[in-house]
Amino acid sequence: MSTKIDIRRLRDVNRLAKAGAETVAEHLTQLTGVETEMQITKINVLDIEDLGAHLGRERVVGVNVPLLEHPHGSVLILFEDESAKKLAHSMLGSEPSGGPTYSEMERSAIKEVGNIMTSGFIDGWANVLGRTIDISTPQLLRAEGDTIVEHSVEAGKHEIALVFDSTLEAPDVDVEATIYTFPNIEEFVELINSI
């Protein structure tokens, strides 16, 4: 099977991203009762081999969620520490605690938000595609770039990462997140070409 995408189909990738962002915002608004907006500000494609260098040496917080159906692979949502703390405490309705460590409540809140964001993002895709895409249990990670890649990408299974830079906005909370998807490239191309 060909893994080429006609350049004119890139607007369909953009459409998937927009639908995913809108669904994330709807899910978070329903959960918190606070009007939330999410915007995708940039879409990039990276070679998996370059991903560790792209993520860098800073410790980041991520939620990795495997996809159980086409296009398989996984979705990884990454937050800088400050954004992760803000997000956790907006969910908990409390002020962020000081210090570099995370309490069990903070970890649980971040994992839940990551799960909601991933399911919303993938539900947006599924709506555009007219199908379901089931996801698995989220895994919370806090590590440097190379370690995050090791835990998120099955070696030899994925060639590219689709990177969606996004901003999540709610009253008093502006959080930046980056959504990485590691699809099976052949299955992803097949889905794009089916739109």
Side-chain angles (χ1 to χ4, degrees):
M1 161 164 196
S2 173
T3 56
K4 293 181 180 176
I5 296 179
D6 185 320
I7 196 157
R8 291 167 294 192
R9 303 309 299 255
L10 293 178
R11 69 176 176 263
D12 293 322
V13 175
N14 193 44
R15 198 168 133 213
L16 286 178
K18 187 174 185 227
E22 288 171 356
T23 310
V24 168
E26 287 169 18
H27 286 201
L28 288 172
T29 298
Q30 288 171 1
L31 178 73
T32 62
V34 174
E35 192 64 35
T36 305
E37 288 185 12
M38 182 175 183
Q39 294 187 4
I40 302 293
T41 55
K42 187 167 56 170
I43 302 173
N44 285 314
V45 178
L46 286 179
D47 190 300
I48 287 294
E49 292 179 9
D50 299 330
L51 189 56
H54 172 77
L55 293 176
R57 306 297 297 165
E58 294 276 323
R59 289 186 80 130
V60 290
V61 178
V63 179
N64 186 54
V65 182
L67 305 178
L68 299 176
E69 297 180 83
H70 276 53
H72 290 96
S74 64
V75 175
L76 171 69
I77 299 184
L78 284 187
F79 307 98
E80 291 181 356
D81 267 329
E82 186 180 337
S83 284
K85 286 257 187 192
K86 267 195 219 176
L87 201 52
H89 287 277
S90 71
M91 288 288 293
L92 296 169
S94 62
E95 289 298 313
S97 61
T101 61
Y102 286 78
S103 70
E104 188 58 42
M105 291 283 286
E106 289 170 328
R107 287 194 297 273
S108 180
I110 294 165
K111 192 172 174 181
E112 183 57 26
V113 170
N115 191 38
I116 290 164
M117 289 178 70
T118 301
S119 67
F121 196 70
I122 294 303
D123 283 352
W125 284 24
N127 291 340
V128 170
L129 297 166
R131 60 185 302 148
T132 61
I133 304 173
D134 285 338
I135 62 175
S136 188
T137 307
Q139 176 190 18
L140 182 66
L141 306 163
R142 183 169 182 253
E144 295 175 356
D146 288 337
T147 305
I148 293 272
V149 173
E150 285 172 23
H151 287 284
S152 304
V153 182
E154 202 173 337
K157 291 280 188 180
H158 306 285
E159 300 170 26
I160 64 164
L162 295 173
V163 185
F164 303 91
D165 290 336
S166 58
T167 305
L168 194 62
E169 296 176 359
D172 303 321
V173 181
D174 290 329
V175 171
E176 291 185 8
T178 305
I179 302 172
Y180 294 82
T181 60
F182 310 110
N184 174 300
I185 187 63
E186 290 185 357
E187 293 178 0
F188 183 74
V189 169
E190 184 184 324
L191 287 179
I192 291 298
N193 288 336
S194 73
I195 296 176

